[in-house]
């Protein structure tokens, strides 16, 4: 268990971002490209690696506990491929800072708000 940062504990809160399969694939592609393409600040690399882990955990969570997500999909009308990907503020900021992230995935992560 990690300890929240003393400066701002809110940055450690995990917020669900409801992403479709294409959005999740784009986030994964952009993160892997950033990590594979050259030097990344070590702290940023940790956050980006955590994002990759959460993408896999989100898929596993859907298999193990499908009912809660299914209820949200039914209430919202979202497609069967939409799942919550839980990211902290620093993880989200790390992904949004990637210049190669496609606009559609950026919009999915920000709710269409410009960053």
């Amino acid at each position: 268990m990690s300890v929240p940062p003393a400066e701002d504990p809110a940055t450690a809160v995990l917020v669900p971002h409801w992403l479709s399969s294409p959005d999740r694939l784009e986030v994964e592609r952009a993160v892997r490209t950033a990590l594979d393409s050259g030097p990344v600040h070590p702290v940023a690399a940790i956050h980006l690696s955590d994002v990759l882990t959460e993408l896999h955990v989100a898929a596993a969570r859907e298999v193990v506990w499908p009912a809660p997500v299914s209820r949200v999909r039914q209430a919202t009308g979202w497609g069967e491929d939409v799942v919550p990907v839980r990211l902290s503020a620093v993880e989200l900021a790390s992904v949004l800072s990637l210049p190669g992230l496609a606009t559609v995935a950026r919009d999915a992560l920000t709710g269409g708000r410009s960053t």
Side-chain angles (χ1 to χ4, degrees):
M1 178 173 181
S2 61
V3 178
E7 312 86 53
D8 186 6
T11 61
V13 174
L14 298 178
V15 177
H17 298 274
W18 292 82
L19 303 177
S20 67
S21 180
D23 293 332
R24 292 190 312 276
L25 289 172
E26 171 54 21
V27 170
E28 181 176 5
R29 184 209 57 78
V31 169
R32 286 193 188 282
T33 298
L35 291 173
D36 294 343
S37 67
V40 176
H41 188 280
V43 174
I46 290 169
H47 295 309
L48 291 172
S49 294
D50 288 346
V51 170
L52 290 177
T53 299
E54 173 54 21
L55 289 168
H56 295 286
V57 169
R61 193 182 305 116
E62 168 68 4
V63 171
V64 176
W65 297 291
V69 174
S70 179
R71 285 191 295 269
V72 172
R73 284 191 201 121
Q74 186 176 19
T76 60
W78 288 334
E80 288 296 313
D81 68 335
V82 175
V83 298
V85 176
R86 297 170 181 155
L87 302 175
S88 69
V90 292
E91 292 166 346
L92 178 60
S94 295
V95 172
L96 294 175
S97 72
L98 299 174
L101 183 66
T103 303
V104 67
R106 187 177 303 277
D107 288 348
L109 288 166
T110 63
R113 298 179 313 273
S114 53
T115 56

